Amino acid sequence: MSGLFDLPSDLQHSYLGLVGLHLREALIPVAAGLLLALPVAQLCVRLRWLYAPVLGLTTVLYAIPSLAFFVVLIDYTGQTETTVMIPLAVYSLVVLVPAIVDGVRSVPQETLDAATGMGLGPVRRYFQVQLPIAAPAIVAGLRVASVSSISLVSVGMLIGNQGALGNMLYTGMTYGRPRLIWLSVISTAVLAIAVDALLVLVRRILTPWMPRGTRPRPAVDPAAADRLATDGPGPAATARKDAAR
Amino acid sequence: MITFGSRAGGSCQTRRAFGVLIRIDAVTKRYPDGTVAVDRLSLDIPDGAITVLVGPSGCGKTTTLRMINRMVEPSEGRILIDGVDSRQQPVNTLRRSMGYVIQNAGLFQHRTIVDNIATVPRLLGWNKGKARDRARELMERVGLDASLAERYPYQLSGGQQQRVGVARALAADPPVLLMDEPFSAVDPVVRKGLQDELLRIQDELGKTIVFVTHDIDEAVKLGTMVAVLRTGGRLAQYAPPAELLSDPADAFVEDFLGADRGIRRLSFFSSAGLDLLTGPVVPAGATAEEIAARDTGGSPRLLVTDPEGRPLGWAEPDALAAGPVDAARLLSYGRPFVAGRDSLRAALDCAVLSPTGWAVAVDDTGRVTGVVSQQAIGDAIRTAHAAGAKTEGATGAEPDGTAEPGTDGTAAKAAR
């Protein structure tokens, strides 16, 4: 018995089954977060005064431990995947909202003027001009949110086996099986790296119009990077929080 | 389509009443904080011509332009497009019927050059193939190489991007083109190329162009009509460029035109009337007798030409008579002007540049047609001014400044 990827039956999944579950529990919240963040960010772009409070709110939400979320949510959604995914979706906002807002704001005023002057209404302007030009910044946000989400899914093990690869870690610890612990940790890391690489690829495919060797705007724009580092929970803050969990 | 002013050689005789395409009628723009950007401005923008709005920053020229396509809504007054209030049609329909070109082009960085140009045709519901065919056609018209079609804006130079901007504005063949300082951000050499290109395109297409600039030279070069605005958005003068240069309405306009308006005005006079002397022109192989027989018309030197009749340089008659001349020892003739096609300004410039003080006139193929002294050019300028004054006397009451000093139709601005 005991091939590298053989799992005890109480995990109820094969290794690949767990990987699939892990990806689903991690990425559906990011997708949901994106769907929520797009309109919120657009509101923040149109109503400038709204941005600071929204940013504050997402930060506060991000500061709530997932266990606390679970305790509240279990009454409504039970010990299910949904209970794990809702907090993850909420957490992704803290990265996605500023990423989209910065991306949309990075569209040059003259580009917008040209679009308006040529007769593109607000809706066309948003979908045909602002969103495509913001794509690199949005993908950059998605990378951080996805990696963070993949590492956070494991806490789902606390509410009865909803942690996917995290369950493997828990089982490994319970039964003293280092192989399962290592497999869980390394698999989670590999998943995070793979999803990140995939998103880089997506960005390349989406943005043939970017000068080669130029990185997405948040990374090039020192002002935006500074802002993220000081008054907003950017990638660095996220990483710190991940470590703390 | 007959152009409105003198640029394409329209003289007083051929000028006719033009249909006013855009009428700005007592328009005021007042912002909520009380700033008045444009103050009761009335302007009739002629059909098929380039009308330039020029003035210092803060004179409301861009605001005025943006009120035409309703990117800024007037606080008072109205704007009539072909007699119809601009507010009577949906704003985006209005904008799609007007090409819009801005500084730095404002290209869509995420779209290829053809797709940028095809923007408005696509908005108007053309299918993709037709819109792209049209885009490629326009690339050729504005002088862009077809190989750039699938490139992205970042791969183009500033001048090329601006050409794309012009092509994009022309894509749906709108009757009106609004251009907001389109050439301000490119270097002077590229700018001159773009200006010449615009004049050429305008000659071909006859659009109604409203052009905003802060550069009076650009205004005088491009404008069929020039509206000078002063700070606070009030009209200082509205006239054809030649009239602007000869009769500035007040000290502000005069100051804005700069110190050398007299010289620049010469651009509007043709060199065709100059009395060219052929006496001082001799072929390189002329004999001493031939040289002695020349009536030099007061020129102390003779212009030596090669067997094809192209100028070589100036020489003393005595040195020439003594035997064959060494081309290297001839005195430079400076730069020749094309008789008839170039303006008096070009002729005077040649005379000033020439070490002998005499300008060399050539034909289109570069053959010498004669020489003329600074003094003779001075006489021609006085004659031209006198003729201009007479024309003004005859038609001077006309507010649109039909009183043009041009003595004939060949004083094309292309000469500059």
Side-chain angles (χ1 to χ4, degrees):
Chain A
M1 116 141 232
S2 174
L4 180 58
F5 297 105
D6 289 341
L7 304 185
S9 61
D10 48 351
L11 282 173
Q12 295 169 352
H13 286 281
S14 67
Y15 173 73
L16 287 179
L18 277 186
V19 167
L21 187 66
H22 199 97
L23 279 178
R24 193 172 76 204
E25 285 187 40
L27 298 185
I28 288 177
V30 175
L34 180 65
L35 284 181
L36 189 61
L38 281 170
V40 170
Q42 190 55 19
L43 268 179
C44 291
V45 170
R46 300 213 81 148
L47 310 171
R48 287 188 157 263
W49 58 268
L50 199 63
Y51 187 39
V54 165
L55 212 55
L57 180 67
T58 57
T59 309
V60 168
L61 288 173
Y62 191 71
I64 301 172
S66 40
L67 197 54
F69 259 117
F70 295 158
V71 169
V72 175
L73 286 171
I74 272 176
D75 285 347
Y76 303 94
T77 50
Q79 294 184 326
T80 60
E81 280 176 40
T82 317
T83 309
V84 180
M85 292 196 284
I86 289 173
L88 293 184
V90 171
Y91 293 155
S92 72
L93 294 180
V94 83
V95 181
L96 292 177
V97 170
I100 299 168
V101 170
D102 286 345
V104 170
R105 281 187 185 166
S106 76
V107 178
Q109 186 57 42
E110 60 209 22
T111 306
L112 291 178
D113 281 353
T116 310
M118 283 189 294
L120 277 84
V123 176
R124 277 201 169 90
R125 232 166 28 230
Y126 181 66
F127 285 106
Q128 296 185 9
V129 180
Q130 291 177 305
L131 215 46
I133 293 177
I138 296 174
V139 174
L142 283 176
R143 286 172 62 189
V144 177
S146 304
V147 168
S148 150
S149 190
I150 287 170
S151 73
L152 289 176
V153 162
S154 301
V155 298
M157 69 187 175
L158 294 174
I159 54 159
N161 267 359
Q162 295 300 344
L165 289 171
N167 297 347
M168 201 198 305
L169 179 72
Y170 185 70
T171 309
M173 289 197 294
T174 312
Y175 299 111
R177 304 268 287 276
R179 176 179 64 88
L180 293 180
I181 297 174
W182 282 112
L183 189 59
S184 165
V185 171
I186 292 172
S187 301
T188 309
V190 168
L191 271 190
I193 292 167
V195 166
D196 192 53
L198 195 71
L199 283 169
V200 172
L201 192 69
V202 166
R203 205 260 298 152
R204 290 240 172 102
I205 293 168
L206 281 180
T207 60
W209 47 269
M210 279 180 71
R212 271 175 205 284
T214 309
R215 308 204 22 225
R217 205 166 276 271
V220 242
D221 182 356
D226 286 346
R227 193 161 58 248
L228 276 175
T230 51
D231 65 30
T238 313
R240 277 198 302 279
K241 183 165 181 186
D242 288 351
R245 273 163 202 260
Chain B
M1 191 167 292
I2 300 169
T3 49
F4 192 70
S6 67
R7 187 169 51 68
S11 64
C12 301
Q13 290 76 33
T14 58
R15 187 174 290 117
R16 61 171 171 82
F18 282 83
V20 172
L21 194 73
I22 303 172
R23 165 165 286 175
I24 297 174
D25 187 10
V27 160
T28 295
K29 179 64 194 179
R30 195 178 294 106
Y31 286 103
D33 66 358
T35 326
V36 176
V38 176
D39 192 7
R40 283 163 295 158
L41 180 72
S42 289
L43 215 56
D44 282 357
I45 292 168
D47 185 5
I50 302 181
T51 299
V52 180
L53 308 178
V54 66
S57 46
C59 72
K61 51 193 191 295
T62 291
T63 308
T64 305
L65 188 83
R66 285 172 167 230
M67 284 195 286
I68 297 175
N69 71 357
R70 292 179 58 196
M71 286 175 74
V72 173
E73 296 286 358
S75 315
E76 287 163 25
R78 54 190 191 143
I79 294 175
L80 303 176
I81 315 283
D82 252 349
V84 182
D85 194 311
S86 65
R87 283 166 294 198
Q88 294 208 338
Q89 55 180 323
V91 67
N92 285 325
T93 311
L94 177 81
R95 288 174 184 161
R96 287 169 201 172
S97 72
M98 298 179 171
Y100 187 54
V101 189
I102 57 176
Q103 198 177 344
N104 296 321
L107 298 184
F108 296 150
Q109 63 195 73
H110 60 295
R111 290 193 181 162
T112 58
I113 301 307
V114 267
D115 287 340
N116 260 286
I117 299 173
T119 304
V120 179
R122 294 284 288 148
L123 284 176
L124 294 172
W126 298 23
N127 69 49
K128 202 161 192 162
K130 189 181 165 205
R132 289 182 150 208
D133 287 347
R134 170 73 180 155
R136 284 172 201 278
E137 185 187 318
L138 277 160
M139 285 183 68
E140 198 186 323
R141 189 178 282 288
V142 300
L144 283 169
D145 196 88
S147 66
L148 298 176
E150 300 298 332
R151 301 265 180 94
Y152 287 96
Y154 82 90
Q155 296 167 306
L156 270 57
S157 70
Q160 287 172 324
Q161 292 194 19
Q162 204 48 265
R163 282 171 199 267
V164 176
V166 173
R168 185 171 67 173
L170 289 169
D173 204 17
V176 176
L177 224 53
L178 306 178
M179 308 184 82
D180 190 358
E181 305 212 18
F183 307 147
S184 319
V186 293
D187 70 65
V189 177
V190 174
R191 186 183 312 143
K192 183 178 181 303
L194 289 166
Q195 290 167 345
D196 292 341
E197 199 87 346
L198 180 69
L199 288 174
R200 185 182 61 73
I201 292 170
Q202 169 64 1
D203 276 345
E204 287 169 19
L205 303 178
K207 301 288 181 195
T208 299
I209 299 179
V210 188
F211 190 107
V212 163
T213 180
H214 59 258
D215 177 358
I216 185 68
D217 286 319
E218 187 168 63
V220 167
K221 173 170 180 174
L222 297 177
T224 310
M225 290 293 284
V226 176
V228 184
L229 303 179
R230 67 174 93 238
T231 313
R234 307 179 71 159
L235 184 63
Q237 189 171 7
Y238 187 40
E243 187 189 314
L244 205 64
L245 290 168
S246 61
D247 296 300
D250 56 22
F252 169 79
V253 178
E254 191 168 5
D255 191 43
F256 194 72
L257 286 168
D260 55 350
R261 65 180 172 91
I263 298 284
R264 278 189 286 168
R265 189 179 163 224
L266 296 180
S267 306
F268 295 92
F269 301 134
S270 170
S271 61
L274 283 175
D275 215 359
L276 300 175
L277 299 182
T278 51
V281 183
V282 293
T287 62
E289 292 76 44
E290 283 171 346
I291 290 163
R294 290 282 171 170
D295 168 18
T296 59
S299 168
R301 292 189 177 82
L302 297 173
L303 182 73
V304 184
T305 63
D306 68 7
E308 268 88 54
R310 293 189 179 78
L312 291 172
W314 295 92
E316 303 281 353
D318 297 346
L320 265 185
V325 280
D326 178 5
R329 294 189 52 208
L330 293 171
L331 204 52
S332 154
Y333 61 90
R335 189 170 61 92
F337 68 96
V338 180
R341 198 184 66 197
D342 282 345
S343 66
L344 278 184
R345 182 181 180 174
L348 181 64
D349 193 54
C350 295
V352 171
L353 280 176
S354 167
T356 61
W358 285 61
V360 176
V362 294
D363 61 17
D364 285 326
T365 61
R367 276 178 245 264
V368 176
T369 55
V371 293
V372 59
S373 67
Q374 276 182 20
Q375 199 187 352
I377 296 172
D379 291 340
I381 292 171
R382 273 188 295 280
T383 312
H385 280 183
K390 210 160 35 177
T391 321
E392 271 170 46
T395 59
E398 290 188 31
D400 67 341
T402 18
E404 199 139 323
T407 46
D408 69 62
T410 47
K413 284 194 195 172
R416 280 175 278 163

